[in-house]
């Protein structure tokens, strides 16, 4: 039973299978401008850029093209919204959570519209957009809505932190006016001794006097910070204006991963959606306004990486930046952050993720997970299972079944309910993938199926499987970001651990085995931010996600995400020693 | 946009219809097994509002007898065997069905170990029984507990094993908690969604619930609407957020071992709710329990079962699976005792008096060592230093003790004021108390409604009398207000000394005791000199004093320059005899979980 928004309700009272949601036909794109201070602005330069439907290569519409001056304006709004005593800063934490809940409600209401927009802009199958992207978004907002009033500081039993000195009670005094006031008797006697000498041997001991004077003075400085009776607590405060740069592969979901924790912690946001896919982000802007977030809390500036992206990462008034995208751009973002104002940086970058299938695994499960792991979203996932290591004994069988799967994968119109694979995002990615496929063929990998573009259509690529792939081939080293599955062979566990880890990336890894010991051993040995055991792409808004090594900095989602969007402030209060 | 403005207070519902009066088990409404009902009385008019099905406990050969000697002399005997078919036991219950006001006689005869003559709680029946074996467990003035084992209860064949209401509820809750059940296999985030939905439904029915709460509890309507209902909705939403954030840990244990912990729900939780904040305490009990995935059996107070029963209908509407929430209205000595001593209830949480709290923990110990959290009485100090903002201190201290007719466990019933500002503080406090308007709590502009029932009303008046006799100076009030309804005049005593009864016993009424102090050490010592430790207030502008006194006070909550500030995010509970465990906040959530450590042998550990 579909509700009015096309969403599907859980639990069918009549026991019939639920009807599939349907895309909105002839959807008019309403929001194409820059979103600052809860209102829509044209770009200062007057420029616009076109966004295309990758499955038809038709222009969808033109969007205002932001640049540095627009970013400045957005940052100004975000800063104003973050001022002390602003409505946003004074809001009860519980109320921040309620706003996020309401945003999730609106996403639920407009789910079909957003899924349609997402499919138009990215070419991903509509049902994937509806059930995975939108579901993920809604859950993310709801999850972080719950955190808003649970971001707790601590009280800390701080006191004298140097026990060896405190036990003596000789030097440990607090500073008071007057140099001698708190010298204890033994110190004072020694000091007096030298003072006495000073009178008699003024000239001879002149320098000695100063030496000792400073010695004592220095001693005092050493112990100025040693107090016994203090109260110490921490506050977890929002960082301030957060820049967010989101990618084109999961435009709305990645935005939710950044926006939800940032707002939950009380920050304000300047967001740049990818130039290929700005539409859902701008639509979300309208929902932000409808929910009633104060103006300036969320600002959205569509545009290109080298202009808007660079302006955000190097902006001196942005306190934190979160970026999801390629490793090369991630390096630029962190570099710009360092060169400007050392803003906090979280990065979620590329991967060349190993998927290890042991001989004792449930082979059907492994084949299916590995297949979905690499072909999902046209292979355009940072988590793509793009190095499948299969144990020798089952290698032949695994390849055979994987090829069967790949050949059956329905490629076509993303609005068609049967379609599993749509077009690649743009010409540049399309060309890069085909080039890597060619390199695979040349370097001696065995092409099992696919290996070229679909003959009759634009940016579609046939699901491709390579077997007999070796570690030094380009398809086994570089991130392909396309529907290409390289399958490698391994003999023993130690070897595969070594090979799986011999990469600069460390985003995810998967293990298929029924053996508990092997599973746990690999789980701890693999150098990656996520290890999936007997599953793949198992994302939960509750579990942190991010990369080891050059796959990223920091974590998104889960409680861990909160740490990335808060500053910890330690407050120490010295109390009067006389009180009990 | 700042925090949303307080909602406008609408007029209370004019003709409130009571829809739900039955026992709620498995998302269905049941009559009581015994067929008994009990009346719900409007404390403002002393009229009966309606009758509610009375839940009861398991029939047992053993009699669990609680003898409670209040200062007014009420003696209660609690008998498990009301509905027994055994003539001897039945005789025990009902023999002489008239009230005995001869409390002393009752006590003496109990001490004689041969005969019991007392007032059965709720029935006012005079009981006579011979050949009892008694064990006196506690010998405090206000409390005596004993177990009587009947030597002869007649032919055992006549003791039919009738499944009573509490057992039915436990069975339903246990069923809902089975491994593989809908509730156990539900996503944690879905549990959170259901709780959020319940909060939304409360918002929808806010006016109705607030009216009911005001009518039955004698609560000022505006307070019911804003504070009680507002607090309920926020607490539910807060708990809803926790549902999918209850984390275990992975632990770097020694050896080649991989260790992790899981925080699992405890199981069936019995929740016994007081009558002073019936709805709010209901939410404090079910919110965290359900967020963690437990199932619950709630016993609302016999004085105030109506809002809980309405909540039952909302629980059903929100879509909680059957058996997850069960509500059995009834009396403490029967339904309450059944819950606390039940062998198949895994945890009991109780808010109420310290006397009954002790019985509950004892029953838990005697039965299956169920986990216990208690939120009990208090005699909370409120300390006003000379440097405080006096107007603010007067205002908070005033509300601290007079809010909801003084029927708050956190009531600021010992106000210590520094010598130099004592007179001024007293003058302003008396002025403030005299401004109070008493009347029907549903009428706008009323500050104070009636006390909950006659028993409480009489007890408060007795304590006021003791204050006068023991030499405290009565500044205002000091007696009953009007001649209908259980109203007590706002009363202020000065020159109160620490050994007077009004300075030691929990009054639970609109009676303010103002004491004098000289030094900070002195006041800390006096404030802590009680077996209670629930809340405390400190009024000062001096940072040092504020922090020092807050650390020194033995209380679960210390309010600095404010009083009675409760929010769902903060844990609440008592030191010493004011309670065990904490409610709300992160700590309150953990009270509803069992921690399981899973250690797995692995071939080789790596950091």
């Amino acid at each position: 039973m579909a509700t009015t928004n096309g969403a599907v309700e859980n639990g069918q009272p009549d026991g019939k299978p639920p009807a599939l949601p349907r895309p909105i036909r002839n959807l008019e794109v309403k929001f194409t401008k820059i979103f600052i201070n809860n209102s829509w602005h044209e770009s200062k330069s007057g420029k616009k850029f076109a966004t295309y439907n990758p499955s038809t290569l038709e222009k969808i519409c033109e969007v205002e093209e932001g640049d540095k001056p627009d970013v400045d304006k957005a940052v100004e709004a975000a800063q104003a919204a973050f001022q002390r005593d602003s409505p946003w800063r004074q809001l009860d934490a519980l109320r921040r959570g309620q706003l996020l809940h309401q945003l999730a409600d609106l996403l639920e209401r407009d789910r079909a519209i957003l899924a349609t927009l997402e499919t138009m802009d990215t070419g991903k199958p509509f049902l994937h957009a509806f059930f995975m992207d939108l579901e993920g978004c809604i859950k993310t907002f709801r999850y972080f809505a719950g955190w808003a009033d649970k971001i707790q500081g601590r009280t800390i039993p701080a006191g004298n932190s140097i026990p060896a000195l405190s036990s003596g009670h000789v030097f440990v005094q607090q500073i008071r006016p007057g140099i001698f006031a708190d010298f204890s008797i033994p110190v004072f006697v020694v000091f007096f001794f030298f003072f006495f000498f000073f009178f008699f041997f003024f000239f001879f001991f002149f320098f000695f006097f100063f030496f000792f004077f400073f010695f004592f003075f220095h001693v005092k400085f050493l112990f100025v910070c040693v107090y016994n009776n203090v109260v110490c607590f921490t506050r977890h405060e929002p960082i301030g204006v957060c820049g967010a740069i989101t990618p084109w592969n999961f435009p709305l979901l990645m935005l939710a991963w950044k926006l939800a924790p940032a707002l939950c912690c009380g920050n304000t946001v300047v967001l740049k959606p990818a130039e290929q896919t700005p539409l859902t982000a701008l639509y979300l802007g309208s929902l932000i306004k409808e929910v009633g977030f104060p103006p300036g809390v969320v600002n959205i500036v569509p545009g290109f990486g080298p202009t808007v992206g660079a302006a955000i990462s190097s902006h001196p008034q942005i306190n934190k930046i979160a970026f999801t995208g390629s490793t090369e751009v991630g390096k630029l973002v962190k570099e710009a952050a360092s060169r400007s104002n050392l803003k906090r940086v979280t990065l979620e970058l590329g991967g060349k993720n190993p998927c290890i299938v042991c001989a004792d695994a449930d082979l059907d499960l492994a084949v299916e997970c590995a297949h979905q792991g690499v072909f999902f979203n046209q292979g355009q996932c940072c988590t793509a299972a793009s190095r499948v290591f299969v144990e020798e004994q089952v290698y032949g069988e695994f390849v055979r079944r994987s090829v069967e799967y790949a050949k059956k994968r329905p490629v076509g119109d993303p609005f068609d309910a049967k379609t599993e694979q749509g077009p690649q995002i743009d010409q540049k990615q399309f060309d890069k993938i085909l080039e890597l496929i060619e390199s695979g063929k040349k370097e001696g990998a065995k092409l099992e199926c696919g290996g070229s573009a679909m003959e009759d259509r634009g940016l579609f690529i046939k699901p491709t499987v390579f077997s007999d792939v070796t570690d030094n081939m380009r398809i086994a080293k570089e991130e392909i970001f396309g529907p290409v599955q390289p399958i490698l062979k391994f003999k023993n566990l130690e070897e595969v651990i070594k090979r799986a880890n011999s990469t600069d990336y460390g985003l995810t890894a998967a293990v298929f085995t029924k053996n508990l010991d092997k599973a746990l051993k690999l789980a701890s040995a693999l150098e990656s931010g996520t290890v999936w055991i007997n599953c793949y792409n198992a994302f939960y808004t509750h579990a942190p996600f991010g990369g080891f090594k050059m796959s990223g900095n920091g974590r998104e989602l889960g409680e861990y995400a909160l740490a990335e969007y808060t500053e910890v402030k330690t407050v120490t209060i010295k109390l009067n020693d006389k009180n009990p | 946009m700042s925090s949303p403005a307080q909602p406008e207070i609408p007029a209370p519902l004019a003709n409130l219809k009571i829809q739900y009066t039955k026992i709620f088990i498995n998302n269905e409404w049941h009559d009581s097994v015994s067929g008994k009902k009990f009346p719900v009385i409007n404390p403002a008019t002393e009229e009966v509002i309606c009758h509610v099905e009375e839940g009861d406990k398991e029939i047992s050969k053993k009699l669990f007898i609680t003898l409670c000697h209040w200062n007014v002399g009420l003696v209660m005997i609690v008998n498990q065997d009301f509905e027994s078919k055994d003539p001897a036991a039945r005789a025990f219950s009902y023999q002489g069905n008239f009230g005995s006001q001869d409390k002393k006689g009752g006590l003496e005869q109990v001490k004689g170990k041969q005969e019991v003559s007392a007032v059965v709680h709720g029935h006012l029946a005079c009981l006579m029984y011979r050949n009892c074996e008694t064990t006196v467990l506690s010998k405090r003035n206000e409390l005596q507990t004993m177990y009587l084992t009947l030597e002869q209860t007649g032919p055992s064949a006549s003791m039919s094993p009738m499944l009573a209401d509490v057992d039915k509820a436990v069975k339903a809750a246990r069923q809902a908690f089975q491994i593989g059940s809908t509730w156990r296999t539900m996503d944690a985030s879905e549990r959170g969604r259901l709780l959020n939905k319940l909060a939304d439904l409360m918002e929808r029915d806010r006016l109705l619930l607030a009216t009911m709460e005001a009518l039955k509890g004698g609560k000022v309507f505006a307070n019911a609407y804003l504070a009680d209902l507002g607090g309920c909705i926020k607490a539910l939403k807060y708990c809803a957020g926790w549902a999918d954030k209850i984390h275990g840990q992975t632990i770097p244990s020694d050896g080649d071992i991989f260790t992790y912990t899981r925080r699992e729900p405890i199981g069936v939780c019995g929740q016994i709710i007081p009558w002073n904040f019936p709805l709010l305490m209901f939410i404090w009990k079910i919110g965290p329990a359900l967020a963690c995935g437990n199932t619950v059996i709630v016993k609302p107070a016999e004085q105030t079962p109506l809002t809980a029963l309405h909540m039952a209908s909302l629980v059903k509407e929100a879509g909680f699976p059957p058996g997850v929430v069960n509500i059995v209205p009834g009396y403490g000595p029967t339904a309450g005792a059944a819950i606390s001593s039940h062998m198949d209830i895994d945890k009991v949480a109780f808010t109420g008096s310290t006397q009954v709290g002790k019985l509950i923990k004892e029953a838990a110990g005697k039965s299956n060592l169920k986990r216990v959290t208690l939120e009990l009485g208090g005699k909370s100090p409120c300390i006003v230093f000379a440097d405080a903002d006096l107007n603010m201190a007067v205002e908070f201290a005033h509300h601290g003790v007079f809010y909801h007719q003084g029927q708050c466990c956190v009531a600021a019933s010992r106000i210590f004021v520094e010598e130099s500002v004592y007179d001024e503080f007293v003058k302003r406090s008396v002025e403030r108390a005299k401004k109070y308007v008493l009347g029907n709590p549903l009428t706008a502009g009323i500050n104070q409604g009636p006390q909950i029932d006659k028993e409480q009303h009489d007890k408060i008046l007795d304590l006021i009398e003791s204050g006068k006799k023991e030499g405290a100076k009565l500044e205002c009030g000091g007696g009953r207000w009007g001649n209908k309804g259980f109203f007590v005049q706002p009363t202020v005593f000065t020159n109160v000394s620490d050994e007077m009864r009004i300075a030691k016993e929990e009054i639970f009424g609109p009676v303010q005791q103002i004491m004098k102090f000289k030094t900070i050490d002195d006041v800390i010592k006096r404030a802590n000199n009680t077996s209670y430790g629930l809340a405390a207030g400190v009024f000062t502008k001096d940072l040092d004093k504020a922090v020092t006194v807050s650390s020194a006070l033995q209380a679960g909550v210390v309010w600095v320059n404010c009083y009675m500030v409760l929010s769902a995010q903060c844990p609440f509970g008592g030191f010493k005899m004011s309670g065990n465990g904490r409610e709300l906040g992160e700590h309150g959530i953990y009270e509803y979980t069992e921690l399981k450590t899973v250690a797995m042998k692995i071939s080789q550990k790596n950091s």
Side-chain angles (χ1 to χ4, degrees), chain A residues 554-576:
Chain A
R555 293 292 177 272
E556 294 187 299
L557 299 185
E559 188 179 359
Y560 296 83
L562 303 176
E564 311 282 359
Y565 286 92
T566 46
E567 288 280 8
V568 176
K569 178 186 282 176
T570 306
V571 180
T572 307
I573 304 174
K574 169 74 183 78
L575 301 175
N576 195 335

Side-chain angles (χ1 to χ4, degrees), chain A residues 274-389:
Chain A
E275 63 270 22
Q276 294 90 338
T277 56
L279 299 183
T280 43
L282 292 174
Y283 192 93
L284 189 93
S286 76
L287 300 184
I288 292 277
K289 189 176 169 180
E290 188 179 341
V291 164
F293 281 93
V297 170
V298 178
N299 306 279
I300 304 170
V301 185
F304 292 85
T307 51
V308 177
I312 290 177
S313 13
S314 60
H315 203 291
Q317 262 82 50
I318 290 183
N319 307 99
K320 187 236 155 79
I321 181 160
F323 168 77
T324 298
S326 70
T327 298
E328 30 168 333
V329 178
K331 291 170 86 169
L332 295 178
V333 168
K334 190 157 183 172
E335 199 184 318
S338 313
R339 251 191 282 132
S340 55
N341 62 341
L342 274 177
K343 56 175 69 64
R344 286 94 192 85
V345 180
T346 49
L347 303 170
E348 202 272 273
L349 309 174
K352 189 70 188 171
N353 309 297
C355 172
I356 299 170
V357 181
C358 300
D360 67 354
D362 176 338
L363 210 60
D364 278 332
L365 176 82
V367 168
E368 183 168 1
C369 287
H371 170 83
Q372 293 296 351
V374 69
F375 290 109
F376 178 65
N377 206 36
Q378 296 74 251
Q380 301 168 146
C381 300
C382 48
T383 62
S386 55
R387 288 188 295 153
V388 184
F389 292 94

Side-chain angles (χ1 to χ4, degrees), chain B residues 467-523:
Chain B
K468 294 179 192 165
K469 263 185 234 151
E470 290 180 341
K473 184 176 166 208
L474 181 69
E475 298 279 350
C476 67
R480 181 177 181 167
W481 182 86
N483 47 19
K484 197 172 162 206
F486 311 120
F487 291 89
V488 175
Q489 292 171 358
T491 302
V492 178
F493 278 113
T494 58
N495 294 337
V496 179
S497 59
D498 291 1
E499 70 290 337
M500 292 179 188
R501 277 183 63 202
I502 52 169
K504 287 195 297 189
E505 294 175 27
E506 191 174 27
I507 302 175
F508 235 59
V511 187
Q512 185 176 40
Q513 285 65 238
I514 311 184
M515 289 112 111
K516 200 181 285 183
F517 77 91
K518 285 182 182 164
T519 69
I520 186 167
D521 290 342
D522 168 49
V523 76

Side-chain angles (χ1 to χ4, degrees), chain A residues 44-82:
Chain A
K44 292 212 167 165
S45 63
K47 279 197 286 187
K48 296 182 181 196
F49 66 96
T51 176
Y52 296 93
N53 180 335
S55 53
T56 60
L57 297 177
E58 284 161 6
K59 186 165 94 176
I60 303 170
C61 64
E62 292 209 321
V63 172
E64 296 291 324
E65 183 184 334
D67 205 332
K68 190 168 182 318
D70 305 290
V71 171
D72 288 340
K73 203 165 129 185
V75 171
E76 212 173 284
Q79 259 197 313
F82 193 74

